[in-house]
Amino acid sequence: MNLDEYRGIWVYVEVRDGQIAPVSLELLGAGRQMADKRGVPLAGLMIGEGVLPLAESIFPYGADQIYVYDNRIFNDYRTESYMRAVIECALKHKPEIILYGATSTGKDLASAVATDLETGLTADTTMLDVNAETGLLEASRPAFGGNIMATILCKKHRPQMATVRPKVMKALEPDQSRTGEVIEEQISLSEEDIRTKVLKIVRETKEKVRLDEADVIIAGGKGLGSKEGFSLIHRFAAKIGATVGASRDAVEAGWIEHEHQVGQTGVTVTPKVYFAIGISGAIQHLVGMRNSGLIIAINKDPDALIFQSCHYGIVGDAFEIIPMLMEAFQVE
Ligand code: FAD
């Protein structure tokens, strides 16, 4: 493989329900920095049905160009059809790097493309950099329970690929004066070429917990003592419009569903404010929330580890402190 043939950085721009996923804009911010460092263009790649009108909206976020596959066959996300478009486009234009959001679609698509192109993929990345000289992607992610950051390199194959967790990169402030080039791509693919069919989409009636997009999270841990004790967290969060998070031990106790779990085997969050209440501060929890803007810990043990990783710590019983906070915030 002649690595020199590959040039430029791409971001897979995910469209959900007619809207660009926030993580794609975050990746354009990270991609812009790398493209400037390396002196190469930054492109988006968008796939879907009826997505063309959205294409130009990524230019204010840093892209120089966008490749668009707007075709009826892409009406629903299916691995087979979407991967064919990414692979065809990558083989034709030869980018050196492709970044995807680590969403369920991004993870599925990236792994299928990497397998087919026989290239490397770093999953769930939290830090990205590029070597200005060689174009080598330096994709880092927590490893060994968050005790080390592993930087993973793909030295011999192109394109180098990574999925990146939502909310760990920052989108650029949109600059409406920025413009770019929309490149419409065609694909010859028919329904007969695709083995899967979407028969019906059943939407969960329950509202999905979007911890990764929350501004304020109130997370509770085993220190709440019981399901009834944990309900205080729900009341506090409901009153101030926050999202409820939890430690794994609270989830395993059956006090709350897994989708609320923050940490290594849960969600990575970066809200503006994170309350850790009755949470000891185990490393597996910390890796999921330590990049929050402001961390406030409440724990009755003054030696709890969480106090080493918070901006403000309140030593005391959660059942006394939370009602006081609710009163201070003038909520019942
Ligand atoms: P505890 O460690 O039991 O802490 C409870 C805290 O509450 C204590 O500090 C105590 O002082 C305090 N407390 C007690 N009563 C009160 C009160 N009335 N008021 C105030 N404070 C009080 N954990 C995660 O959270 N997320 C993960 O994704 C995750 N993934 C893991 C993956 C692996 C492979 C492993 C091995 C572990 C993982 N864990 C994870 C588990 C993690 O190691 C800890 O066991 C867990 O985070 C502890 O939860 P906790 O802080 O709620 O409970």
Side-chain angles (χ1 to χ4, degrees):
M1 170 173 269
N2 181 2
L3 303 190
D4 295 335
E5 286 180 356
Y6 290 78
R7 199 168 167 275
I9 298 174
W10 285 10
V11 169
Y12 171 68
V13 180
E14 186 176 331
V15 180
R16 267 190 239 145
D17 297 328
Q19 296 214 317
I20 295 173
V23 66
S24 303
L25 303 179
E26 293 158 20
L27 289 185
L28 288 170
R32 183 70 264 162
Q33 280 182 3
M34 292 198 290
D36 287 343
K37 184 172 174 187
R38 172 97 175 111
V40 294
L42 172 68
L45 169 58
M46 188 182 267
I47 305 169
E49 186 191 12
V51 291
L52 192 58
L54 287 175
E56 291 199 340
S57 62
I58 71 162
F59 298 138
Y61 291 92
D64 301 306
Q65 40 188 211
I66 182 163
Y67 300 98
V68 186
Y69 286 85
D70 190 337
N71 189 308
R72 201 172 150 60
I73 201 121
F74 301 123
N75 181 11
D76 293 306
Y77 174 76
R78 284 178 289 175
T79 316
E80 283 168 291
S81 54
Y82 275 58
M83 73 184 272
R84 290 267 65 89
V86 178
I87 290 165
E88 213 176 280
C89 206
L91 290 174
K92 186 167 154 196
H93 300 288
K94 297 192 171 16
E96 55 196 312
I97 294 171
I98 311 181
L99 306 173
Y100 307 75
T103 59
S104 46
T105 301
K107 289 186 209 174
D108 181 66
L109 182 60
S111 53
V113 171
T115 309
D116 202 271
L117 290 178
E118 296 187 3
T119 190
L121 168 68
T122 307
D124 260 346
T125 311
T126 55
M127 267 162 48
L128 292 171
D129 202 356
V130 71
N131 183 307
E133 301 290 307
T134 60
L136 197 60
L137 175 68
E138 296 165 7
S140 307
R141 50 159 298 156
F144 293 107
N147 288 309
I148 61 160
M149 283 299 281
T151 299
I152 297 164
L153 309 174
C154 170
K155 291 186 174 168
K156 296 195 176 146
H157 296 91
R158 294 289 181 273
Q160 308 158 86
M161 307 213 302
T163 60
V164 182
R165 293 189 187 183
K167 285 274 203 170
V168 293
M169 308 286 160
K170 270 213 157 64
L172 299 179
E173 276 304 316
D175 172 357
Q176 300 301 342
S177 67
R178 278 192 62 104
T179 55
E181 185 189 7
V182 178
I183 303 155
E184 286 183 59
E185 295 284 347
Q186 306 299 333
I187 193 160
S188 96
L189 197 62
S190 69
E191 278 299 331
E192 289 71 54
D193 302 324
I194 307 170
R195 283 168 300 175
T196 48
K197 305 250 173 289
V198 178
L199 300 180
K200 191 169 156 194
I201 294 178
V202 183
R203 297 205 182 263
E204 268 191 75
T205 44
K206 207 175 82 176
E207 211 174 304
K208 186 150 172 38
V209 182
R210 293 237 59 108
L211 270 181
D212 53 352
E213 289 173 10
D215 279 338
V216 182
I217 293 177
I218 300 184
K222 202 64 191 293
L224 274 309
S226 65
K227 195 164 185 165
E228 293 65 44
F230 201 90
S231 66
L232 189 57
I233 299 284
H234 286 287
R235 276 186 47 217
F236 186 18
K239 289 290 181 188
I240 66 165
T243 305
V244 175
S247 71
R248 186 168 89 169
D249 286 22
V251 171
E252 285 187 345
W255 302 341
I256 186 159
E257 298 87 17
H258 178 258
E259 60 185 335
H260 292 265
Q261 184 179 315
V262 173
Q264 186 189 330
T265 41
V267 185
T268 301
V269 298
T270 49
K272 292 184 181 137
V273 186
Y274 188 89
F275 283 88
I277 304 177
I279 292 177
S280 57
I283 183 69
Q284 295 89 356
H285 188 81
L286 296 179
V287 292
M289 45 61 84
R290 62 182 165 198
N291 292 327
S292 303
L294 184 73
I295 300 171
I296 302 166
I298 303 173
N299 197 303
K300 68 178 184 186
D301 174 5
D303 296 324
L305 273 177
I306 192 76
F307 289 132
Q308 293 174 21
S309 302
C310 65
H311 300 96
Y312 293 101
I314 304 172
V315 178
D317 187 332
F319 296 98
E320 288 170 18
I321 310 286
I322 296 178
M324 281 159 67
L325 285 177
M326 286 166 77
E327 204 179 304
F329 289 134
Q330 293 191 315
V331 290
E332 291 155 23

